[in-house]
Amino acid sequence: MKTNIILMFFFYSTIAFSIAQPPQVINYQGITRNAQGFPLLNRNIAIRLSILDSSATGQPVYVESHITITSSSGLFNLSIGSRTIINGTFSAIPWGQGNKWLRVEMDTSGGSNFQLLGVTQFLSVPYALNAANGNKPGVVLGDMQYWNGIEWVRVPAGSHGQSLFFCNGVPTWGGCLPLLITTSFSFPTSILTIGGNISNDGGSSITARGVCWSTSSSPTTTNNKTMEGTGIGTYISSIAVFLMANTTYYVRAYATNSVGTSYGNEISFTTFSSANLPSVTICNQIWATQNLSESTYRNGDPIPRVDDPNLWASLTSGAYCYYNNDSATYAAIYGKLYNWYAVNDPRGLAPIGWHLPSDSEWISMISCLGGSSVAGGKMKETGNSHWSNPNLDATNTSGFTGLPGSFRNYIGNFGGFIGGYSYYWSKTESNATNANEYNLTYQNGIIYFQNDDKKSGYSVRCLRD
């Protein structure tokens, strides 16, 4: 005959700490009575106790079973955490995270045919258990603890006289690493300029700083690096090397103090294939022998292509186009026509390893070739494959191989004609609205100097750094 069980219970907790460190337990006491209210006396019973997470129907985080004998008054005593473990670890129960519930099941014959008696919420977590579970035990005298946002973490004891520092929310013996960020600057030269900003020295002086870079992510000072002195604050480093074309580089600022070296955020960039532009040496200068045709700045940002003449005329920022907006016919031979805002953009129009020539660099080449009255002929491609008749005085003895890509004027119209003229920007501006340019013509061997509206669209030739 099945016995109906009434269970009346209460529980309380004890924690005992001693040299032997006995187990942490919750003492639990209950009285069993049958349906008529009479106690079950001197009865062998089996109890299964489950600690549930979050709700009365939550997942068990710990389960154990007990075999015990009721007293002559129906009373029994248990210690939760001290008997046969079915599931979980008592010491690992996350008492501080959400509510916990106790599920009690009993078999009055002492077997494993358990009958559910009830589920009761722990209205308060035993303090000693919660504290013991949330805190890591010490190992040696002087160990401490800190809360990392999830759990208590042990801080090992320091040495005599050592100072404890608070480093980004973590107590740390002996000092902190510096705090810094990597700052990026882009200039139109092959020297990629990147800097750092050290906001905190970590409690000890900065003994070294700079940037480090590699073709692999997370570069360190064991890779390529610059050295930019000492101290906190902002600094700039120049990566004074010719970087490989079509290659991705990773760069980080670094700072070193007595504790060690820390790194700023990582910046990456990719060099482009046009860093290998065909070139010729003219009087100790290395000039590209084809017009530039980049669609992006050095950092990878796109340069807008603008075909609409009204929009072109309104621009005060970088843009490019093709002659007559016809890339299929003209792009491969003559490259792109850029306004001067693209030439002067701080992100860099020239590929890594090259820069846009200034007036002084143009004049140096022209003087070396005999002056403006004859230099144009020595710079023009010969024949009439691209230049129109008569292409006078063209010898191309310099190897510059000037091509007649014509131009777009400041109101957005395409001037001249393909085959008749070539216009090349200088990096030098003449005033707020105009910049300098040099041009060749099919009519003679002169190279002309002018200053024109920055909105104009001209060809670009690069000079090797």
PDB file of all heavy atoms in Angstrom, residues 44 104 174 251 277 287 433 448 453:
ATOM      1  N   ASN A  44      13.783   3.512   8.140  1.00  0.00           N
ATOM      2  CA  ASN A  44      14.856   3.711   7.158  1.00  0.00           C
ATOM      3  C   ASN A  44      14.285   4.430   5.936  1.00  0.00           C
ATOM      4  O   ASN A  44      13.348   3.927   5.301  1.00  0.00           O
ATOM      5  CB  ASN A  44      15.446   2.372   6.720  1.00  0.00           C
ATOM      6  CG  ASN A  44      16.320   1.750   7.783  1.00  0.00           C
ATOM      7  OD1 ASN A  44      17.127   2.439   8.402  1.00  0.00           O
ATOM      8  ND2 ASN A  44      16.161   0.450   8.004  1.00  0.00           N
ATOM      9  N   VAL A 104      13.016  18.363  -2.793  1.00  0.00           N
ATOM     10  CA  VAL A 104      13.164  17.238  -1.875  1.00  0.00           C
ATOM     11  C   VAL A 104      12.343  16.061  -2.385  1.00  0.00           C
ATOM     12  O   VAL A 104      11.154  16.201  -2.703  1.00  0.00           O
ATOM     13  CB  VAL A 104      12.701  17.618  -0.453  1.00  0.00           C
ATOM     14  CG1 VAL A 104      12.890  16.442   0.500  1.00  0.00           C
ATOM     15  CG2 VAL A 104      13.465  18.842   0.045  1.00  0.00           C
ATOM     16  N   GLY A 174      54.166  46.139  -8.223  1.00  0.00           N
ATOM     17  CA  GLY A 174      55.359  46.666  -8.876  1.00  0.00           C
ATOM     18  C   GLY A 174      55.131  47.731  -9.918  1.00  0.00           C
ATOM     19  O   GLY A 174      56.094  48.322 -10.410  1.00  0.00           O
ATOM     20  N   VAL A 251      50.872  47.809 -37.983  1.00  0.00           N
ATOM     21  CA  VAL A 251      51.690  48.765 -37.245  1.00  0.00           C
ATOM     22  C   VAL A 251      51.054  49.022 -35.881  1.00  0.00           C
ATOM     23  O   VAL A 251      49.828  49.134 -35.772  1.00  0.00           O
ATOM     24  CB  VAL A 251      51.819  50.104 -38.015  1.00  0.00           C
ATOM     25  CG1 VAL A 251      52.784  51.039 -37.298  1.00  0.00           C
ATOM     26  CG2 VAL A 251      52.276  49.862 -39.442  1.00  0.00           C
ATOM     27  N   LEU A 277      55.852  51.328 -60.548  1.00  0.00           N
ATOM     28  CA  LEU A 277      55.663  52.042 -61.805  1.00  0.00           C
ATOM     29  C   LEU A 277      56.927  51.959 -62.665  1.00  0.00           C
ATOM     30  O   LEU A 277      58.048  52.047 -62.137  1.00  0.00           O
ATOM     31  CB  LEU A 277      55.360  53.520 -61.526  1.00  0.00           C
ATOM     32  CG  LEU A 277      53.977  53.866 -60.956  1.00  0.00           C
ATOM     33  CD1 LEU A 277      53.952  55.315 -60.497  1.00  0.00           C
ATOM     34  CD2 LEU A 277      52.898  53.628 -61.998  1.00  0.00           C
ATOM     35  N   TRP A 287      61.941  59.254 -62.589  1.00  0.00           N
ATOM     36  CA  TRP A 287      60.584  59.643 -62.966  1.00  0.00           C
ATOM     37  C   TRP A 287      59.808  58.444 -63.494  1.00  0.00           C
ATOM     38  O   TRP A 287      60.361  57.576 -64.169  1.00  0.00           O
ATOM     39  CB  TRP A 287      60.625  60.707 -64.075  1.00  0.00           C
ATOM     40  CG  TRP A 287      61.060  62.064 -63.594  1.00  0.00           C
ATOM     41  CD1 TRP A 287      62.341  62.497 -63.435  1.00  0.00           C
ATOM     42  CD2 TRP A 287      60.205  63.134 -63.228  1.00  0.00           C
ATOM     43  NE1 TRP A 287      62.344  63.785 -62.987  1.00  0.00           N
ATOM     44  CE2 TRP A 287      61.043  64.217 -62.844  1.00  0.00           C
ATOM     45  CE3 TRP A 287      58.822  63.321 -63.180  1.00  0.00           C
ATOM     46  CZ2 TRP A 287      60.537  65.445 -62.438  1.00  0.00           C
ATOM     47  CZ3 TRP A 287      58.319  64.541 -62.782  1.00  0.00           C
ATOM     48  CH2 TRP A 287      59.170  65.589 -62.404  1.00  0.00           C
ATOM     49  N   THR A 433      43.423  79.615 -54.975  1.00  0.00           N
ATOM     50  CA  THR A 433      42.574  78.995 -55.998  1.00  0.00           C
ATOM     51  C   THR A 433      43.373  78.349 -57.125  1.00  0.00           C
ATOM     52  O   THR A 433      42.831  77.554 -57.883  1.00  0.00           O
ATOM     53  CB  THR A 433      41.619  80.034 -56.610  1.00  0.00           C
ATOM     54  OG1 THR A 433      42.396  81.114 -57.178  1.00  0.00           O
ATOM     55  CG2 THR A 433      40.677  80.586 -55.550  1.00  0.00           C
ATOM     56  N   TYR A 448      56.074  74.383 -71.232  1.00  0.00           N
ATOM     57  CA  TYR A 448      55.514  75.627 -70.729  1.00  0.00           C
ATOM     58  C   TYR A 448      55.167  75.498 -69.237  1.00  0.00           C
ATOM     59  O   TYR A 448      54.758  74.430 -68.759  1.00  0.00           O
ATOM     60  CB  TYR A 448      54.250  75.986 -71.499  1.00  0.00           C
ATOM     61  CG  TYR A 448      54.502  76.298 -72.954  1.00  0.00           C
ATOM     62  CD1 TYR A 448      54.434  75.305 -73.928  1.00  0.00           C
ATOM     63  CD2 TYR A 448      54.804  77.602 -73.361  1.00  0.00           C
ATOM     64  CE1 TYR A 448      54.662  75.583 -75.266  1.00  0.00           C
ATOM     65  CE2 TYR A 448      55.025  77.901 -74.710  1.00  0.00           C
ATOM     66  CZ  TYR A 448      54.963  76.885 -75.648  1.00  0.00           C
ATOM     67  OH  TYR A 448      55.186  77.167 -76.960  1.00  0.00           O
ATOM     68  N   ASP A 453      43.532  77.001 -62.425  1.00  0.00           N
ATOM     69  CA  ASP A 453      42.551  76.744 -61.374  1.00  0.00           C
ATOM     70  C   ASP A 453      42.702  75.304 -60.842  1.00  0.00           C
ATOM     71  O   ASP A 453      42.852  74.353 -61.615  1.00  0.00           O
ATOM     72  CB  ASP A 453      41.146  76.950 -61.933  1.00  0.00           C
ATOM     73  CG  ASP A 453      40.106  77.088 -60.833  1.00  0.00           C
ATOM     74  OD1 ASP A 453      39.908  76.118 -60.077  1.00  0.00           O
ATOM     75  OD2 ASP A 453      39.490  78.164 -60.724  1.00  0.00           O
TER      76      ASP A 453
END
